[in-house]
Amino acid sequence: MADSETPVLKLQVANARPEDSGRGLAHIPRSMMAALGLAEGDVIEIVGKSLTPARAVAPYPEDEGLDLLRIDGLQRANAGVGSGDFVEVRKVESKPATRVVFAPAQQNLRLQGSSQALKRTFFKRPLTQGDVVATAG
């Protein structure tokens, strides 16, 4: 997704607050947002053992000045990292999906619900092929 001209920064991963779980947000330091040329809501790529996108948002007040990337458990799993690991972060350009296919994350599960509810849940949410997502908060 990113090109060779895109700045890349390293940040240490920490847990996001429970109320941010499943929202696709990444809380990053304001200084890092400035260094990457990010505005709040821009899409970043988080690179650990795998990569996953997220929307960059301001840090929690208690994290001001700390070089932390706060993401939820699904994002950590999608990036193949745990709390305390270091990841690369870079700005990327996102493209609207033309087709999205959801499948159960485990065998013997059946997905139920309306396509409109899924659209509302994932509208403007950055995703990449193979990401595991939660359909409810």
Side-chain angles (χ1 to χ4, degrees), residues 33-53:
M33 287 179 77
L36 292 172
L38 295 169
E40 191 144 343
D42 282 350
V43 178
I44 59 171
E45 185 174 69
I46 302 165
V47 184
K49 292 183 186 94
S50 304
L51 60 90
T52 194

Side-chain angles (χ1 to χ4, degrees), residues 2 4 13-14 31 41 43 48 56 61 73 75 78-79 81 87 93 98 110 112 115-116 124 136:
S4 59
V13 174
S31 60
V43 178
Q75 291 168 301
N78 286 331
V81 297
V87 293
E93 292 303 318
T98 55
R110 202 169 86 90
Q112 289 183 279
S115 60
Q116 287 307 107
K124 298 234 180 219

Side-chain angles (χ1 to χ4, degrees), residues 99-121:
R99 184 170 169 243
V100 177
V101 177
F102 290 98
Q106 298 173 331
Q107 288 185 350
N108 301 323
L109 285 181
R110 202 169 86 90
L111 294 178
Q112 289 183 279
S114 78
S115 60
Q116 287 307 107
L118 284 174
K119 283 181 185 177
R120 280 192 305 275
T121 300

Side-chain angles (χ1 to χ4, degrees), residues 58-70:
Y60 297 132
E62 65 271 20
D63 289 345
E64 283 293 346
L66 300 178
D67 288 345
L68 290 177
L69 170 74
R70 289 205 181 259

